[in-house]
């Protein structure tokens, strides 16, 4: 049985860097085009207040995305190092803590910090008279 070598170990760094960076650059360009087109449609449909709202929200979303990437990439790299050292328990603890951090930051914290939005959410939600079948 032949084993494949890891291309990170023998291929030139420039070639590997190019092969990893080009997809990231393309995805950033697609995201930028999406945001431009989205602004056009929001401007036509909602008006200047819609554009103002998305302009205010975009940096906040970008910061949250950067924080998530920071925590996720760092934790997964640390867990991969621990797996390479055959310390599976420490790797699992790291990934478990990653899940707790991200869950508390993005799911639980907004519900605790912004209770004033509850009435707004309840007014906008359509609650059926019969119980949900999927629940």
């Amino acid at each position: 049985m032949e084993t494949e070598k890891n291309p990170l170990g023998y291929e030139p760094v420039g070639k590997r860097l190019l092969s990893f960076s080009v997809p990231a650059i393309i995805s950033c360009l697609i995201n930028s085009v999406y945001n431009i087109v989205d602004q056009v449609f929001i401007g036509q449909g909602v008006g200047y207040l819609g554009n103002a709202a998305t302009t205010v929200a975009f940096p906040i979303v970008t910061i949250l995305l950067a924080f998530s990437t920071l925590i996720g990439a760092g934790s997964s790299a640390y867990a991969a190092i621990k797996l390479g050292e055959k310390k599976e328990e420490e790797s699992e603890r790291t990934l478990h803590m990653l899940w707790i951090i991200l869950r508390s930051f993005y799911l639980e914290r907004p519900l605790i910090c912004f209770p004033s939005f509850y009435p707004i959410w309840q007014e906008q939600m359509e609650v059926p008279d019969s119980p949900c079948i999927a629940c």
Side-chain angles (χ1 to χ4, degrees):
M1 180 168 116
E2 291 184 31
T3 59
E4 288 187 31
K5 287 188 171 184
N6 187 352
L8 295 175
Y10 63 88
E11 285 191 6
V13 174
K15 183 178 179 183
R16 289 285 90 195
L17 182 63
L18 193 63
S19 70
F20 286 128
S21 62
V22 168
I25 292 169
I26 291 171
S27 70
C28 286
L29 289 174
I30 290 172
N31 189 21
S32 298
V33 170
Y34 168 78
N35 286 325
I36 292 169
V37 172
D38 190 38
Q39 286 293 322
V40 170
F41 280 101
I42 289 172
Q44 294 294 320
V46 179
Y48 68 93
L49 290 177
N51 278 346
T54 55
T55 301
V56 169
F58 182 71
I60 296 169
V61 171
T62 303
I63 290 169
L64 291 174
L65 180 63
F67 181 74
S68 299
T69 303
L70 170 79
I71 299 296
S75 298
S76 63
Y78 184 76
I81 289 170
K82 292 303 167 187
L83 279 176
E85 294 174 352
K86 306 290 187 219
K87 297 180 180 177
E88 293 179 15
E89 185 176 323
E90 190 170 350
S91 174
E92 287 181 20
R93 275 198 321 251
T94 301
L95 294 177
H96 181 70
M97 285 304 299
L98 166 68
W99 170 246
I100 290 173
I101 289 170
L102 292 180
R103 186 189 70 197
S104 66
F105 191 76
Y106 290 107
L107 295 177
E108 296 164 2
R109 185 171 172 223
L111 294 176
I112 294 169
C113 294
F114 303 115
S116 61
F117 288 135
Y118 295 156
I120 297 170
W121 291 336
Q122 289 173 354
E123 289 174 7
Q124 293 178 353
M125 292 174 53
E126 294 180 18
V127 180
D129 293 334
S130 62
C132 178
I133 297 171
C135 296

